Amino acid sequence: MAEDADPARKSIGARRNPDSAEAILVAAEAVLVEAGYAGFSIEAVARRARAGKPTIYRWWPSKAALLLEIYQRGKRVDSPDTGNIEDDLVGFLKSLFSHWRETSSGSVFRSLIAEAQSDPAAAAALAGYSKGRHSHTGQMIERAKARGEVAVDVDAALVADLIGSFAWKHLLTNRLDEDEATLRRAVRYVVQGILPQSR
Amino acid sequence: MAEDADPARKSIGARRNPDSAEAILVAAEAVLVEAGYAGFSIEAVARRARAGKPTIYRWWPSKAALLLEIYQRGKRVDSPDTGNIEDDLVGFLKSLFSHWRETSSGSVFRSLIAEAQSDPAAAAALAGYSKGRHSHTGQMIERAKARGEVAVDVDAALVADLIGSFAWKHLLTNRLDEDEATLRRAVRYVVQGILPQSR
DNA sequence: TGTGCAGAACGGCCCGTTTCGTTTCATCGC
DNA sequence: GCGATGAAACGAAACGGGCCGTTCTGCACA
């Protein structure tokens, strides 16, 4: 989706206009933030970007594809490696939630959830993204196992469930105002269950 | 929303046709199940119910209102009182999840989530419903506190978080195939944190 | 000369509303 | 009692408007 170069290019001619692609992505994000998911239409994005609809459809096959690229563009979540599983997880959650809270990513993500309920492609993309994040937190757990900090047979899905409970709250209330102490308590709650000595 | 009697009725005239209301609700559920959220339009519901669109708009101000009434109609979730907090919660979760799994309520609920991302009324209704369920599980905790089974200062929101993590999984994967053992393990995991002796 | 571009226009679906004529039914005069 | 009255709900059709996804045109550029 929207690669920088097309290796299968058949012949010469005009290349993709990067300014146009950029303008479309910026406009899409702006429309989503200002008008919400209800006002997020391809027409509106094209108007705002001063682009033609065919140009959008040429590069993004669906609204979901556009949403997903917006979400992934702004995405840069810390994945600290402090040598301590509790600090790792707290740092990761803090980064993820502030990312949802302080950028447009939160509303983009919620729009993607909505889109996934009617577009199977969006659902698949979302599932893939979720899987990737699981492997991300899974690596933290693996590192902790290698350090002997965590038993080798623990289920890393517990962390996914923890994120899920926060994500659910974010989805229902559109708020995610947990302070660090609350976050740390929740993480410790999970970590208690996977510390070797507690088993 | 769609009360049986209207105390503020100004004058005489034909009453609401209960057959029509019933047909609309049945048709709406059928459309949602067969065509999914993407195919769920007022037009489609009216066609299937052999009803006029104005009749639907007269009684349900929005798509969200219609969705919410469908969801609440089919809703009958057990709230057992076994005298044991762990059994209470496991029973409740089993009932809730089988309800999501085996009736149309699961897809109705997911559609409601999607609708809430673009319709503030749907978001408010959903938040209210969620609050009601929290007070529901909160009563279980209160009973456990009265029995001395649980410390008086525990946070009942832990149960809400537990439900949230399952709901999130259901939303992303459209599956909820937890067996009772898994459910019991999760409940025990939460209950461990609220039993007095573990504090 | 081939390609991407913006823009206009299309047929189609659904939106929410209005208008129409019909049916239902509590009320009131007889 | 009982039929006429009139308010209100009904199904059907049509409206103006928006967005859908697609096609076509003419220009810019390599």
Side-chain angles (χ1 to χ4, degrees), chain A:
Chain A
M1 162 185 334
E3 298 301 323
D4 291 330
D6 183 358
R9 191 174 191 81
K10 293 290 183 302
S11 55
I12 58 169
R15 304 303 178 83
R16 180 178 190 181
N17 183 350
D19 293 345
S20 181
E22 177 68 18
I24 288 168
L25 288 171
V26 169
E29 184 171 351
V31 167
L32 192 57
V33 168
E34 291 175 15
Y37 177 62
F40 182 72
S41 70
I42 301 291
E43 299 246 354
V45 173
R47 267 199 304 273
R48 175 146 191 155
R50 306 193 133 274
K53 281 199 293 173
T55 303
I56 299 182
Y57 280 109
R58 188 182 343 262
W59 298 108
W60 295 275
S62 67
K63 217 160 39 164
L66 191 50
L67 280 171
L68 195 65
E69 184 161 345
I70 301 170
Y71 182 67
Q72 289 177 333
R73 256 164 66 93
K75 181 162 171 36
R76 195 45 47 201
V77 174
D78 292 340
S79 161
D81 185 0
T82 64
N84 175 289
I85 183 64
E86 186 179 314
D87 290 338
D88 279 8
L89 287 175
V90 170
F92 173 73
L93 290 180
K94 272 179 66 177
S95 174
L96 178 63
F97 295 161
S98 75
H99 187 250
W100 280 353
R101 222 184 307 114
E102 290 154 22
T103 72
S104 66
S105 294
S107 46
V108 175
F109 194 48
R110 286 165 51 232
S111 300
L112 208 43
I113 293 277
E115 189 70 14
Q117 302 311 314
S118 59
D119 182 350
L126 205 55
Y129 165 73
S130 174
K131 202 167 191 171
R133 199 174 52 193
H134 288 188
S135 81
H136 194 194
T137 53
Q139 285 173 8
M140 290 186 191
I141 302 292
E142 287 304 319
R143 289 201 301 258
K145 285 182 184 178
R147 290 194 300 265
E149 197 179 357
V150 158
V152 292
D153 61 343
V154 304
D155 188 359
L158 277 178
V159 179
D161 292 341
L162 177 64
I163 297 176
S165 72
F166 281 112
W168 182 253
K169 185 186 284 188
H170 172 235
L171 190 65
L172 283 191
T173 67
N174 194 18
R175 276 198 301 180
L176 208 52
D177 45 8
E178 324 293 348
D179 55 13
E180 175 157 352
T182 306
L183 230 47
R184 187 166 289 276
R185 195 178 321 128
V187 166
R188 189 169 295 147
Y189 189 69
V190 168
V191 169
Q192 275 176 357
I194 60 180
L195 290 179
Q197 62 269 25
S198 75
R199 298 170 64 85

